[in-house]
C-alpha cells in the first residue's frame, strides 16, 4: 500500500487488500466478496448500493435494503472492520423537523456525506414522482428529514452546500439526460414503458420519446 495515495483523513483501519498481480485495471475486486450476503437481516432479501463512512473508530453505513416484497428502504449497518456487517432489522427512523415520524414510501441508492459535524443522507425517494430526499444526523441515532431539494422526476443530485462545484454540476446536467441523444436515432424504434412503474412512470419518459425523429411506435406493459 506504500505506493497508493489516499486523499482524506487518516484512516488506519481502512479495509484493504493489495492489488492482485494479474489485475490490469485501476480498481480490483476484493477476494472476500460479496461482503454482505443475501438475507442479511429479518425481512431483508438483498442489499444494494451502500454508503459507508468511518465513525468513532468503526464504520457505519446506510444501505438500500430490498424487502422480501421487493420494495427498497434505507437501513443502518455497523461494522468494526468494514468486512463483517450487522444490518439493523428496522428502517432508519426518519422524523420531520418537528420530531414527527416522516418515513418515505420507498428509498434507494443512498449517499452519505459529512459536512462539518453533520452527516447528510441523500437518496432517491418518492415526492409525487421520483425525486431526491435529504436527511441529517450527528449521532446516527436521530435522523431529521429536510425539505426535498428538487421537484419530482429529478433523481440525480449532488450535495454541495458550499457551492464549490456548482458550475461543473450544472454543466453536467444537460449531458446525463438521455433526451439530448434521442434525435440521433435513425432506426425504427419500438418504445416500451411499464405503466405500473412508480419510480420511472411513463410520463417521465415522454421527453425522450418525443425527440425521436425516426418512425416509432409505443409498446406498453401493464
Amino acid at each position: 500500500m506504500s505506493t497508493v495515495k489516499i486523499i482524506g483523513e487518516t484512516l488506519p483501519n481502512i479495509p484493504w487488500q493489495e492489488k492482485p498481480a494479474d489485475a490490469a485495471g485501476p480498481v480490483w475486486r476484493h477476494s472476500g466478496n460479496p461482503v454482505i450476503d443475501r438475507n442479511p437481516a429479518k425481512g431483508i432479501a438483498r442489499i444494494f448500493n451502500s454508503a459507508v463512512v468511518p465513525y468513532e473508530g468503526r464504520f457505519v453505513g446506510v444501505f438500500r435494503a430490498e424487502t422480501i416484497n421487493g420494495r427498497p428502504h434505507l437501513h443502518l449497518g455497523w461494522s468494526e472492520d468494514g468486512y463483517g456487517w450487522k444490518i439493523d432489522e428496522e428502517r432508519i427512523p426518519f422524523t420531520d423537523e418537528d420530531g414527527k415520524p416522516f418515513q418515505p414510501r420507498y428509498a434507494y441508492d443512498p449517499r452519505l456525506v459529512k459536512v462539518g459535524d453533520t452527516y447528510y443522507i441523500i437518496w432517491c425517494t418518492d415526492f409525487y414522482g421520483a425525486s431526491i430526499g435529504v436527511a441529517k444526523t450527528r449521532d446516527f441515532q436521530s435522523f431529521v428529514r429536510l425539505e426535498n431539494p428538487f421537484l419530482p422526476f429529478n433523481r440525480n443530485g449532488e450535495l454541495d452546500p458550499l457551492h464549490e462545484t456548482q458550475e461543473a454540476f450544472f454543466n453536467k446536467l444537460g449531458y446525463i439526460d438521455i433526451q439530448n441523444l434521442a434525435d440521433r436515432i435513425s432506426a425504427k424504434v419500438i418504445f416500451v414503458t411499464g405503466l405500473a412503474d412508480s419510480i420511472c412512470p411513463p410520463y417521465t419518459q415522454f421527453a425522450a420519446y418525443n425527440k425521436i425523429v425516426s418512425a416509432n411506435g409505443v409498446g406498453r406493459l401493464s
Side-chain angles (χ1 to χ4, degrees), residues 9 52-56 58 60 62 111-122 134-140 142-144 146 159:
E9 297 179 5
V52 175
V53 296
Y55 181 74
E56 296 185 347
R58 298 189 291 167
V60 62
V62 177
R111 301 294 181 265
L112 187 55
V113 179
K114 184 180 181 183
V115 180
D117 61 353
T118 302
Y119 294 85
Y120 291 89
I121 305 170
I122 309 99
V134 179
K136 64 180 181 179
T137 182
R138 291 182 176 178
D139 56 8
F140 292 97
S142 60
F143 301 84
V144 177
L146 308 177
L159 182 66

Side-chain angles (χ1 to χ4, degrees), residues 18-130:
E18 293 293 344
K19 184 176 181 178
D22 59 348
V27 296
W28 53 95
R29 184 178 177 87
H30 192 280
S31 62
N33 273 299
V35 174
I36 301 175
D37 215 334
R38 293 176 65 89
N39 306 306
K42 183 179 179 181
I44 299 175
R46 298 169 296 275
I47 292 290
F48 289 103
N49 298 350
S50 310
V52 175
V53 296
Y55 181 74
E56 296 185 347
R58 298 189 291 167
F59 295 93
V60 62
V62 177
F63 297 90
R64 168 183 172 171
E66 296 266 335
T67 55
I68 55 178
N69 65 5
R71 186 175 288 270
H73 294 286
L74 300 185
H75 289 242
L76 212 62
W78 294 91
S79 175
E80 298 293 334
D81 56 8
Y83 298 110
W85 285 90
K86 179 174 177 54
I87 308 297
D88 289 353
E89 292 183 4
E90 302 297 327
R91 304 175 197 170
I92 292 177
F94 292 111
T95 67
D96 63 18
E97 294 182 86
D98 294 325
K100 300 176 181 178
F102 189 16
Q103 291 295 106
R105 291 178 55 207
Y106 59 77
Y108 61 100
D109 295 357
R111 301 294 181 265
L112 187 55
V113 179
K114 184 180 181 183
V115 180
D117 61 353
T118 302
Y119 294 85
Y120 291 89
I121 305 170
I122 309 99
W123 72 93
C124 297
T125 191
D126 176 63
F127 180 48
Y128 303 101

